[in-house]
Structures are given as structure tokens and as C-alpha cells.
Amino acid sequence: MKITVAGAGYVGLVTSACLAELGHLVTCIDIQKEKIDMLQSGRSPIYEPGLESMLEKNLSSGQLHFTMNPHHAYSDAEIIFIAVGTPEKHDGSVDLKYIHVVSNLIAYYIENDVIVCTKSTVPVGTNELIQAIIDSRKPPNLQVEVVANPEFLREGSAVLDFFHGDRIVIGTDHHKVASILEQLYLPLKIPILKTDIRSAEMIKYASNAFLATKISFINEMSNFCEKVGANIEEVTFGLGYDKRIGHDFLKAGIGFGGSCFPKDTKALLHLGGHINHPFDLLEAVINVNNRQQSLPVLKAKETIGSLKNKKVALLGLAFKPNTDDVRNAASLTIVKELLEEGAVVTAYDPLAIPNARRILGNTIEYADDIRAALRDAHLAIIATEWEQIKYVPLDVYQNHMRDPIVIDGRNCYPLHEIQKYPITYLSIGRPDVNNARQKKGWE
Ligand code: NAD
């Protein structure tokens, strides 16, 4: 089929490359010239495992095109996927300005009947709004059907998720349109759920709100464990054996970040305000997460007192491993709080430094490798559990830091290993190994 994808971000690019890989003729449009230039020369502006090789292959075979030209993109598409950003406004509501622009462009440029699928995460009622915008401006002889088709891919494994996702949701009341999309997705052999438009929109928000709730729940439990001398890892292991609970998504840490959970939980809370439904549970989830992101600096102050002029090595900037995305990452909160305390920060990340630099500029230093970041540091904070970070031998901290004090926000190291080294080590929801070591007379 002839498919157009609006937006060459994490969702749009992966969708474009994967649909081209399935044999469709795909045009991906974006408004950022820098991105389109890079893509036309076969380079990916974002990091996603497996993406760049798929882009190169489909670009050179002619299955995939990149453009900034809306006429070229929309005029003869059979299906248009909307994958533009839906960022949050200051009050937590969703900014739909990119959705409005794309809807208007589609209406203006289409020359055929077309199915418009919204992959962007949008509040309930938005697909009806898109339909209304297009209907009011499109040529009267053309038929356009807008479908809610929310995206569930995870950054860091987005290509894998496209081909092996848990489900595909198609929200439309139009049977023929639903079956065309079913045919499109059929080769993936992923369960397809057909719903009405509003339920499809809600499925996305409900999924993200539930996952965020799981994270805040286990983080709150981890703080409890610390206070009562239990180990959150043992607790989650025991918890996960219950089939009604399961083992997934129960890892304690310094909170969720990224471009989805923080934004989507706030959007749902905001929507609740409008329909007179205060979502107390979700409000608590967000508050717990904010607190959790502040834990490393709190622990640092409790351990070494004033952070003024202390050199801090921040290990990890991306909001999670295998991505270069730093949007709403815990690292950004940590940097802000460290700088407020007068600390001097040197950060290391295998991939996310360019994106972090766009936000943090020269307020911190950036190191090309972990050892350089740790050199002469008074304190190290682990913010992202990259393999490059979690497998660093513990004697590296011991040998490079001025004071080997490590605050591990992602519980990267087994406690029994830590106990072998003269490192002051604090983690999340696990017993204090420093006391245990003192008792054994190692310090
Ligand atoms: P992104 O910021 O990485 O990419 C959005 C792209 O849209 C940008 O490149 C931007 O230039 C482009 N754009 C803006 N206006 C445009 C226009 N008029 N025409 C063409 N392109 C335009 O965003 P993303 O992370 O890919 O997310 C996109 C949507 O998908 C959001 O609604 C997000 O909530 C949702 N989503 C994201 C993820 C994720 O993991 N990133 C997962 C599921 C759903």
C-alpha cells in the first residue's frame, strides 16, 4: 500500500522503516530540515537498536522516502499515520498544535480517499476533532476516515516491539476501514483488538497510567523496605510469583521518566479535572515519582553533608538504557538539584550526551568514558542502568574516586559484591551494606 507517516520521531521513524520492511511504499514527512537531510542520506537522527540498518536498506531499495513537501507526502496516500508529538503544556494538558497543523495539511493536500490513523497519544475526543477538522476543509468528493491506532512501542526496543508487540488497537466504528487495517497488520501475527474510537484512546492512557502506578507502587514499597530493614529485590521476587501480579515492571529505582509516562499521567489527571473526576490514585503516583527522582541528592546530602564544590560523577543521562532520549529523565532532576547545592557535575552516558547538552548546555561537564567521569569525584550517582555502567568493576570506583561513595539509583550491583570493596554504597530499598561491613571490621 502507499503509506505516509507524519513525524520522523521515535514513533514515526520506526513505523516508517518497519512498514517499508513489510513491503509497503512509505513516505515519511517531517518539518525539521536537519532531520530530513540526515534521513535522506541514510543516517538516523535518533538511536533505536536495528533502526538505522533498516532505514538504509529500504531507502536504497526505494521502499522508503523522506520529504518535507506535504503535496508529495499526502496527495496520493492510501493510509496516513499521524505520529507527531503531543507534548504537555504548563498546566499538564496536552498541546495539540502539531495535530491541528497535520490535520489541516492532510485536508488541504489529499487527492484520494484516505484512512488517517492516529498513532500519537491523544486525549479522548481528539480523533473526533481530527475528523471534524479534515471534514470541514477537504474536497467534498473525497472520503476520509480517522482511526485511533495508539502506539505501544518502548524506546530502546521499538523495532522489536513493532514486529512482536502485545496487541494492536484499532479504534473505529467503520467495519471496512477496520478490516483494511487488519489486513495491513495481519503479517505481524499480533492480536488485534477492534474497539470504538474513544475506548482506543483510553486504552493507551490506561496502559501508561497502570504501568506508572506499578513503578510508583514498587518505589514506595522500596522506601518502606529501607526503613524496616527488608530488601526490595527479595520482596519483588516473592511478589512476582503470584500469577495475578507477575514479575514484570517491578524494579525499584529513582522513578520513571521519558516522553510518555510523565506526560500521559499528567494529561489523564488534567482530563479528570475537566470531567469532575479527581484521580487521587494517579496524583499520588506522580507525587511518589517526583519524590523518587529527588532521592539521590537527598541521600547524598545525608551521607556527605554539604555538596558545595563537591565533584559528582553522574553515570547515565538517558531516561533508560538503549536510548538517547533524555526527556523527563531522572538525570535532569538530579543535575538541577546538584547544581542548586553548588556541586560540580561531570556526566557520562554512552549515547545521550548530545541530547542532554541541548538541555543542560555547559552547566555540567561531559566525559567520554566512565573513568574520566569518576576521576577525583567525591560522589558517584548511577542514574541509568546501561550495560556500560552496571558492569563497571567495583575497583574502578575505588581506584578513581577521591572518596568512593556510590549512590546507585538503579540497584545495578549485587550487595554481596559490594561488601567486598571499601565503597560507601547506597541503593534503593536494599539493606545498608556499609553497616554490615563495619560490623565485619572492614572499615
Ligand atoms: P518525537 O518528538 O520524537 O517526534 C515527533 C516528530 O513530529 C518530530 O520530528 C517533529 O518535527 C514532527 N512534526 C511536528 N509537526 C509536524 C508536521 N506538521 N508534519 C510532520 N512532522 C511533524 O515524538 P515521539 O516520541 O515519536 O512521539 C510521537 C507521539 O507518539 C506522541 O504523541 C507520543 O506520546 C506518542 N508515543 C510515543 C512513544 C515513545 O516511546 N516515544 C510511544 C508510544 C506513543
Side-chain angles (χ1 to χ4, degrees):
M1 295 187 91
K2 215 162 179 316
I3 294 174
T4 285
V5 179
Y10 289 86
V11 171
L13 260 190
V14 170
T15 303
S16 300
C18 294
L19 285 171
E21 187 73 16
L22 286 180
H24 299 287
L25 198 56
V26 180
T27 302
C28 179
I29 178 168
D30 203 287
I31 49 172
Q32 294 184 47
K33 185 173 183 322
E34 203 188 344
K35 268 192 183 180
I36 293 299
D37 286 347
M38 270 185 91
L39 286 162
Q40 283 173 338
S41 67
R43 287 172 301 137
S44 174
I46 57 162
Y47 174 76
E48 202 51 62
L51 179 63
E52 200 161 72
S53 57
M54 210 182 277
L55 287 175
E56 272 171 20
K57 179 181 154 204
N58 287 287
L59 202 61
S60 56
S61 69
Q63 287 296 119
L64 181 57
H65 297 270
F66 293 98
T67 185
M68 290 183 69
N69 181 337
H71 177 262
H72 178 199
Y74 299 125
S75 57
D76 58 351
E78 294 169 84
I79 301 179
I80 298 170
F81 286 97
I82 300 180
V84 297
T86 48
E88 73 179 83
K89 289 190 192 165
H90 288 303
D91 61 359
S93 64
V94 181
D95 191 343
L96 293 174
K97 67 180 174 213
Y98 303 115
I99 294 279
H100 277 269
V101 172
V102 169
S103 307
N104 277 299
L105 288 169
I106 291 172
Y108 187 81
Y109 283 103
I110 49 168
E111 293 174 4
N112 293 326
D113 294 348
V114 67
I115 298 171
V116 174
C117 289
T118 309
K119 285 214 167 269
S120 302
T121 304
V122 291
V124 173
T126 306
N127 280 286
E128 289 157 24
L129 175 78
I130 296 170
Q131 183 80 60
I133 293 173
I134 297 177
D135 283 348
S136 67
R137 292 171 172 79
K138 70 176 175 58
N141 59 318
L142 297 184
Q143 204 189 342
V144 178
E145 282 300 326
V146 177
V147 178
N149 180 211
E151 180 55 62
F152 298 96
L153 61 76
R154 298 160 299 170
E155 284 177 29
S157 56
V159 171
L160 192 82
D161 291 343
F162 181 92
F163 290 105
H164 305 281
D166 294 330
R167 77 306 212 181
I168 288 163
V169 174
I170 297 174
T172 174
D173 295 329
H174 201 295
H175 294 300
K176 191 166 162 227
V177 167
S179 74
I180 292 172
L181 290 174
E182 215 173 1
Q183 288 305 313
L184 178 85
Y185 284 122
L186 213 57
L188 299 175
K189 299 190 173 73
I190 294 173
I192 294 176
L193 178 67
K194 289 184 270 182
T195 73
D196 62 279
I197 294 187
R198 288 189 167 225
S199 300
E201 291 169 329
M202 269 310 287
I203 287 171
K204 177 64 191 174
Y205 279 99
S207 303
N208 278 0
F210 187 73
L211 292 168
T213 303
K214 269 185 115 172
I215 298 175
S216 278
F217 174 84
I218 210 65
N219 283 338
E220 191 73 317
M221 210 42 100
S222 75
N223 297 334
F224 218 88
C225 284
E226 267 181 42
K227 295 229 162 87
V228 299
N231 183 337
I232 190 66
E233 284 177 341
E234 307 282 345
V235 173
T236 46
F237 201 52
L239 190 64
Y241 266 107
D242 188 321
K243 290 194 191 70
R244 294 167 302 175
I245 299 174
H247 288 285
D248 291 340
F249 237 67
L250 284 180
K251 194 163 185 319
I254 50 173
F256 56 78
S259 68
C260 292
F261 291 170
K263 159 175 89 73
D264 296 345
T265 46
K266 276 188 243 165
L268 200 52
L269 199 62
H270 190 271
L271 184 67
H274 279 292
I275 55 171
N276 200 18
H277 184 93
F279 205 149
D280 297 338
L281 177 63
L282 203 55
E283 194 161 4
V285 166
I286 295 167
N287 290 339
V288 167
N289 197 59
N290 292 340
R291 246 184 11 231
Q292 209 67 16
Q293 291 199 340
S294 293
L295 262 188
V297 175
L298 198 69
K299 282 179 188 265
K301 288 197 289 186
E302 280 170 6
T303 311
I304 56 177
S306 168
L307 298 178
K308 198 164 175 47
N309 295 326
K310 294 276 174 8
K311 183 183 169 188
V312 180
L314 178 59
L315 305 184
L317 288 163
F319 83 93
K320 67 174 185 178
N322 294 323
T323 180
D324 57 355
D325 198 348
V326 297
R327 289 178 283 184
N328 295 304
S331 65
L332 300 183
T333 304
I334 295 169
V335 166
K336 178 174 162 283
E337 293 179 354
L338 285 173
L339 294 178
E340 280 166 6
E341 296 294 328
V344 180
V345 183
T346 303
Y348 163 77
D349 191 284
L351 283 177
I353 288 178
N355 282 339
R357 205 191 286 272
R358 269 181 217 119
I359 298 169
L360 300 169
N362 293 330
T363 56
I364 64 169
E365 287 179 18
Y366 304 91
D368 289 338
D369 67 82
I370 291 186
R371 285 163 181 79
L374 290 175
R375 197 160 301 131
D376 289 333
H378 295 90
L379 171 73
I381 296 177
I382 300 178
T384 317
E385 65 276 36
W386 281 100
E387 301 224 325
Q388 291 89 329
I389 293 172
K390 71 180 189 187
Y391 295 124
V392 168
L394 285 159
D395 58 5
V396 171
Y397 295 92
Q398 187 189 337
N399 296 335
H400 287 76
M401 293 178 71
R402 186 181 307 220
D403 304 317
I405 301 173
V406 179
I407 297 178
D408 182 354
R410 300 297 178 187
N411 291 350
C412 292
Y413 289 98
L415 294 180
H416 64 266
E417 275 301 309
I418 284 285
Q419 283 185 348
K420 297 178 192 159
Y421 294 83
I423 293 174
T424 303
Y425 179 82
L426 293 100
S427 54
I428 306 296
R430 302 192 297 176
D432 184 349
V433 279
N434 309 307
N435 284 343
R437 193 168 33 225
Q438 269 163 11
K439 274 185 210 144
K440 287 185 185 172
W442 291 342
E443 280 185 356

